[in-house]
Amino acid sequence: MFKPCGPLAGQISVPGDKSISHRALIFSALAVGRSRITGLLEGEDVLATADALRAMGARIEKNDDVWTVHGVGVGGLMQPDQALDMGNSGTSTRLLMGLIASHAISATFVGDASLTKRPMGRVIEPLSAMGADIQARETADHKSCLPLTVRGICPAIPLEYRLPVASAQVKSAILLAGLNTPGITRIIEPVLTRDHSETMLRGFGARIMVETDAEGSRVISLTGEAELQPQRIKVPGDPSSAAFLVVAALIVPGSDIIIENIGINPTRSGLFGILQEMGGDISFLKRRTVGGEPVADIQVRHSALVGVDVPADIAPSMIDEFPILFVAAALASGQTTTSGLHELRVKESDRLSQMAKGLSLLGVVLTEKDDGLVIEGSGGAALSGGRGKAVIETALDHRIAMSFAVAGLATRSGLSIDDIKPVETSFPGFDNLLASLASR
Ligand code: S3P
């Protein structure tokens, strides 16, 4: 049961960034020699990536808080004996498909009920153009889904590819395939998405160039066959996890918290700007750069929020944060509109529909459009929570679970969530951390 509490207070940190953690493990596994990673997210998604890399020959160990990866070198991956179980993780699946595509090995990918419904055509298309043979299950609505088998090819054919959908996973899959491909692999990105792969590849010593063309698209050119040098990596706290606590502090009266060491890369931090525009009292303290990534401590105080129109072009920089933004919008005064969010329908769940269903159960007035929600805020008045009877369905989606855990703090008498377990994929310890802020 998630129910109203007193003011949130205290100084805390959240687990490591999920996107950066996946990439830290994968690039380390491709370096020649031993890399050291601290701050790695030990959530199920990242552990699925680690297990898959182990199955392909990388030695990965953990001692205290330090992860050590003995890389096999680009081109050195071995044939896994068994299917790779990706659990709930789309990022693991799509990035590792790219990695395997340009190695002379094959692998079958399986996953849970949520991952098995997600579209993989977006990576199959460019990786097939590079020469990989990929056989996927075809669904009645013409989606290529898990289980699927990638038969890689070496040497693969370098590709020039314009991303048809704004996706850092697709971009990174192609970059990973390009690492073991002779010549230049080029990606044209009309809409900027998270750039952790580019930053980290540069740090590992790959020859990667990023330019802007005449139309304003980003052009990323990677020279294969790359040699990666082992690194020491400090993973910052995940802004996508911090987001839940930021909104919790904004909506619970009297709250004042500091969340330490959070990545504030502009390709990820769209939510914080929108919340500030809504009147949220959010400050960035001790700004610094760690491993090429901008980081700060974030102070958040309870604020009266007002509704806003969220422009569609900001979506990629807060793509995982819309569920929790909808909770903030439900408590703001006035209307919040969102658009351009088709991608939310193919995340761990259909997030537009799951959020619309759950918020409606709490008495929130909203309209579900094809590509967004329009929400009439309560002006800070407590949500109904169905008098404690509302049971929210999370559909195996960690961010739906955490969004409603936070919404529960602003209900009259609490709400229940059918399955809190998915939170383990990205934010182990979430409920204890939230409870600890409430009890200080
Ligand atoms: C991610 C990219 C995003 C995001 C996901 C992590 C990544 O997905 O939603 O949680 O680490 O590259 P898309 O590439 O599908 O937008």
Side-chain angles (χ1 to χ4, degrees):
M1 175 82 119
F2 292 89
K3 49 181 199 273
C5 63
L8 304 182
Q11 182 150 347
I12 47 146
S13 52
V14 299
D17 188 283
K18 183 154 77 71
S19 293
I20 296 178
S21 294
H22 284 295
R23 288 155 172 82
L25 286 173
I26 296 173
F27 295 139
S28 296
L30 291 177
V32 182
R34 194 179 63 166
S35 293
R36 257 173 118 258
I37 309 170
T38 50
L40 190 86
L41 167 63
E42 297 178 6
E44 288 169 358
D45 281 13
V46 174
L47 299 180
T49 290
D51 283 345
L53 293 168
R54 284 190 184 108
M56 292 187 282
R59 218 168 89 218
I60 302 179
E61 291 153 1
K62 188 197 167 196
N63 270 309
D64 301 325
D65 291 341
V66 182
W67 286 73
T68 307
V69 181
H70 300 262
V72 296
V74 169
L77 294 179
M78 285 171 2
Q79 172 71 42
D81 293 338
Q82 285 176 353
L84 304 177
D85 187 350
M86 302 285 96
N88 188 257
S89 179
T91 310
S92 309
T93 308
R94 295 186 177 127
L95 267 54
L96 294 174
M97 284 173 68
L99 181 62
I100 290 165
S102 61
H103 280 73
I105 60 174
S106 63
T108 296
F109 290 81
V110 297
D112 73 4
S114 151
L115 183 59
T116 300
K117 285 191 222 132
R118 298 183 66 186
M120 294 297 151
R122 55 183 63 197
V123 271
I124 294 175
E125 197 221 326
L127 298 177
S128 303
M130 295 180 82
D133 172 20
I134 305 176
Q135 300 298 327
R137 180 176 64 88
E138 298 303 322
T139 64
D141 52 348
H142 306 293
K143 280 193 301 186
S144 303
C145 293
L146 262 52
L148 61 77
T149 300
V150 181
R151 284 188 186 78
I153 185 159
C154 184
I157 309 156
L159 180 70
E160 174 163 322
Y161 191 71
R162 174 178 285 271
L163 288 177
V165 40
S167 166
Q169 292 179 354
V170 177
K171 169 173 67 175
S172 302
I174 300 169
L175 287 173
L176 280 160
L179 280 175
N180 197 36
T181 301
I184 293 180
T185 294
R186 186 165 286 132
I187 299 161
I188 301 154
E189 188 178 48
V191 182
L192 175 62
T193 63
R194 64 192 69 193
D195 59 359
H196 307 304
S197 294
E198 297 91 304
T199 302
M200 207 179 276
L201 274 171
R202 206 171 289 118
F204 271 86
R207 281 165 61 199
I208 183 163
M209 212 164 70
V210 180
E211 296 158 305
T212 305
D213 71 9
E215 282 107 61
S217 298
R218 264 173 109 242
V219 181
I220 306 155
S221 307
L222 173 71
T223 306
E225 304 155 293
E227 255 195 48
L228 304 187
Q229 310 302 323
Q231 299 298 309
R232 285 175 171 244
I233 301 168
K234 275 192 192 161
V235 180
D238 196 327
S240 301
S241 296
F244 298 102
L245 304 175
V246 168
V247 171
L250 288 175
I251 65 176
V252 175
S255 297
D256 186 349
I257 65 170
I258 292 180
I259 315 171
E260 295 167 357
N261 187 37
I262 298 302
I264 53 164
N265 182 320
T267 63
R268 295 285 300 283
S269 57
L271 174 76
F272 301 138
I274 292 290
L275 291 172
Q276 283 174 325
E277 219 180 288
M278 294 172 79
D281 182 349
I282 301 175
S283 336
F284 298 92
L285 316 174
K286 299 192 205 155
R287 286 174 186 266
R288 56 219 186 252
T289 302
V290 179
E293 292 282 346
V295 168
D297 298 349
I298 303 183
Q299 179 164 31
V300 192
R301 299 192 180 97
H302 168 253
S303 310
L305 299 175
V306 289
V308 281
D309 293 328
V310 181
D313 63 3
I314 205 175
S317 71
M318 54 178 290
I319 194 67
D320 292 333
E321 282 65 77
F322 281 95
I324 192 62
L325 172 73
F326 296 147
V327 172
L331 288 148
S333 48
Q335 188 180 70
T336 295
T337 61
T338 56
S339 57
L341 304 182
H342 296 104
E343 276 294 300
L344 258 58
R345 297 206 180 271
V346 290
K347 293 292 180 190
E348 286 81 332
S349 69
D350 176 341
R351 287 182 172 161
L352 291 179
S353 132
Q354 290 304 130
M355 287 306 299
K357 259 195 261 177
L359 288 173
S360 301
L361 265 183
L362 302 182
V364 176
V365 177
L366 58 83
T367 311
E368 180 180 346
K369 302 180 299 168
D370 229 25
D371 69 336
L373 300 186
V374 177
I375 295 178
E376 310 296 335
S378 73
L383 307 177
S384 75
R387 296 189 200 292
K389 288 190 203 108
V391 180
I392 303 292
E393 183 193 299
T394 58
L396 286 178
D397 188 331
H398 53 139
R399 299 200 204 280
I400 301 292
M402 289 185 277
S403 297
F404 282 103
V406 171
L409 306 177
T411 52
R412 272 199 286 281
S413 46
L415 56 78
S416 302
I417 291 175
D418 66 346
D419 183 10
I420 194 74
K421 176 104 195 359
V423 168
E424 292 298 313
T425 61
S426 70
F427 197 159
F430 165 76
D431 34 359
N432 287 339
L433 196 57
L434 190 58
S436 80
L437 285 172
S439 64
R440 290 183 211 212

